[in-house]
Amino acid sequence: MSALIAPELVALDADLGPDKHDVIRALAQRVTDAGRATDLDALVADALAREEISATGLPGGLAIPHCRTSGVDEPVVAFARLSPPVDFGAKDGPADLAFLIGAPAGGDATHLTILTKLARALARPEFGRKLRETESAEEAARTILDAVSDAPAEQKTPAAAPEAAPTQKRSLVAVTACPTGIAHTYMAAEALQAAAARAGVEIAVETQGSAGATPLPAETIAKADAAIFAVDVGVRDRSRFAGKPLVSSGVKRPIDDADAMIAEALAAAENPNAARVESGRGESSESASTASESWGGRTRRILMTGVSYMIPFVAAGGLLIALSFLLGGYDITNVYGAVMVDNTITNLPDAQGLGLEHALFDSGLAVYLGALFFVIGKTAFMLFIPALAGYIAYAIADRPGIAPGFIMGALAANLFGVANADGVSAPATGFLGAIAGGVLAGVIAHWVSGWRVPSWARGLMPVLVIPLVTSILAGLVMIVVLGKPINWLMERLTDGLGALDGSSAVALGAVLGLMMAFDMGGPLNKVAYSFAATGVGAASLAANAPELRIMAAVMLSGMVPPIALALATVVRPQLFTTAEHENGKAGWLLGASFITEGAIPFAAADPMRVIPAIMVGSAVTGGLSELFEVGVRAPHGGIFVLFAVTNVLGYLIALAAGVVVGAATVIALKSVGRAPVPAAATS
């Protein structure tokens, strides 16, 4: 394995540009020039993506942009002593010491342990002092390598104080975790340990990072006076800390102010009314209970957790039903039950006898498989609404919320077909009911989890008390209070979608196209996609269902940006850099696969020209898709699910038109008031 850093990866007193994006790209270029990066653009894109999650500037003039990436095969660090300093988002001002840390996407434990040691070294003031005083790149590289060699790989859990000791220190436990688990996780741990030592307090820290985590012993947790959670992701097996006074924050806070967090934890230990870790909370959650999370961010996270777990049900169900129609024809919906019950693989049905004129090759095997695929796909569709509600509740209350959430989702879908003697069904509130029911179940489960109960009853809380009380309360509210109003709203929404035609449908398609292209995988993109995906799951089986047309508009619009930019690099290569040409080559396949994020490198480099251009192209495609009444039953797959498309010709025309318009617009905008990129850069 190559050394983590070498002199050629060091820049002293360097001006690498006015902002952090320039610094990251310059350091990544240095890594590439040293032969340590396999893909410059991947390294830059992944580092910038991590920067968007939270700023990597740290107190004391440090910046640690870092990522796990396919752009490197071995861990690597590039270091720059910046002159002038550059703002990386630290509260105390710009950074003059910047470390670009790249870890291979599939890095093993050795790789990650090395980076863990470096992260811990960064938390020590003498480390930064040496790097500011050094006069040579060789000495700077040696200082960093010495820190990696000498720093402890992991803080061991302190041994319990002997019971006979005359005085016993106060004891705390902590968990630190960040999204990538490379730097902040370990720096936060180091900062908490240093602050605890200054306060004369014992602390045991569990770092839930990429190098793995060694769970704190149960006896260490039991004797702790309070717990600190400094996390930007969910705490694994959170229920181990149930009942402990809790101080929680994002992972950066202890790096900035560890002394205050230690003091707050000690105060919480003395306060009978302090917040506590909820009883019966389950294993790792998609959510992070951080003090800094805004209500808007929390709401979006909760809804997107439910949607992310729901989408596999919709995707599997949609593709299976599309395959069933491919094999057995649309008429399979009339006979699937009889085929499944009456036939077997050795007793195949008669396609002609069943009136299946569109069965593939009039094959009995195709009909039989089509019927089975339809049953499996329909079952998946029946479960997507309960899954949406269940995992919304999970995002709020962790594991105790899952069962009540699923029950609320089943009520929202009227899963068991409750009806009166005249055949009138109970209100089915659909995905709106699932969202309301999931939130209701999560809030109630979270509230019940916080009840203070005797120690003998704690084991009953997650398996009996919480699901029972939550299901009763939330179920009664859903049926008695919310059922009919939400059902009325769903009927109006369904009627409104069914009435869309002409200009109104085209306008909706254009708006969805704008949303898909604006932030390329960001919040607006996800809102549009979630709206379409839930519609596919709730759609009727008719090929012309309006929900299927919305899904087509969204999918096609999301395919346009990468393909349009790829086309632009071919038509006017002199307007694009070498890196953009490489991104353009990948853009063809990414766009065809419905991966809108393939356009991000172009937008990051030139947002004022690229984003408006691809929005125009996607809006054209979305509008044309609705105009041509294109429908698609599969919620993902792009060009590779044409068998699930209604009006394939319209699908291809809408896609081609948006790509051409988007490419032409970006070429026009890049050509106005801007000199062409030098020929050397495009060769």
Side-chain angles (χ1 to χ4, degrees), residues 463-489:
V463 297
L464 176 61
V465 177
I466 298 173
L468 176 63
V469 173
T470 303
S471 298
I472 291 173
L473 296 179
L476 289 175
V477 172
M478 281 290 293
I479 294 172
V480 177
V481 180
L482 300 178
K484 290 185 178 179
I486 297 179
N487 182 62
W488 177 87
L489 183 61

Side-chain angles (χ1 to χ4, degrees), residues 305-306 309-310 313 382-392 405-406 409:
T305 296
Y309 280 103
M310 174 208 74
F313 290 87
M382 291 175 67
L383 292 174
F384 96 88
I385 287 180
L388 175 62
Y391 286 104
I392 285 176
F406 266 82

